[in-house]
Amino acid sequence: MRKYETVVMFNTQLSKEQLTQEITKVKELLQSNAAQEVEEINWGKREIAYYVKKQKFAHYVMFAYHCDQGGVVEETNSVLRISDAVLKFQTHRVNESVRGFRGNPKRAAQQQ
């Protein structure tokens, strides 16, 4: 099974409820397309290095998941691409032998 990470930058003009709805939509989309062990990690509001769609800040959320099919990634990317709430996104395939740390210090301490 392959491991993937998708980092999504959401617009900061969304209310807290709208942001929660958007995160839930992405999570449900992944689960409905046979992604397993979907984990969301909210990085919070951060400054962007350059303006994206006239925004200097964004809410960063990372989704970590496992799947067998590459269609999950393609479907997720196509939905994120047309969403108005999403400023940018990026999906990576994770090779665990190379990268054991996924942004969570507690998890890194457990793996050692």
Side-chain angles (χ1 to χ4, degrees):
M1 209 173 265
R2 297 178 178 170
K3 297 181 182 184
Y4 293 93
E5 289 179 351
T6 300
V7 178
V8 183
M9 295 168 48
F10 289 102
N11 194 336
T12 57
Q13 295 179 349
L14 298 173
S15 68
K16 203 170 205 174
E17 295 82 24
Q18 290 173 326
L19 179 64
T20 304
Q21 288 175 354
E22 292 296 326
I23 292 171
T24 305
K25 283 181 191 177
V26 174
K27 196 169 184 178
E28 289 174 354
L29 174 68
L30 289 168
Q31 291 171 342
S32 68
N33 286 315
Q36 300 172 356
E37 300 179 30
V38 178
E39 178 185 2
E40 80 176 64
I41 302 170
N42 192 340
W43 291 350
K45 183 177 177 181
R46 295 177 180 231
E47 187 174 2
I48 307 172
Y50 52 89
Y51 284 92
V52 176
K53 296 183 183 178
K54 299 183 181 180
Q55 299 292 318
K56 188 64 175 166
F57 291 89
H59 289 285
Y60 284 75
V61 180
M62 184 184 80
F63 298 93
Y65 53 95
H66 297 77
C67 62
D68 289 329
Q69 308 167 5
V72 175
V73 175
E74 294 171 4
E75 179 68 24
T76 305
N77 288 350
S78 65
V79 170
L80 291 174
R81 195 171 287 120
I82 61 172
S83 175
D84 291 333
V86 176
L87 298 177
K88 288 182 94 62
F89 66 92
Q90 191 167 24
T91 302
H92 300 278
R93 181 174 170 200
V94 178
N95 185 352
E96 284 296 320
S97 64
V98 175
R99 182 175 180 207
F101 176 67
R102 292 190 337 184
N104 189 342
K106 292 178 185 176
R107 173 172 281 152
Q110 290 172 355
Q111 290 179 353
Q112 291 177 354

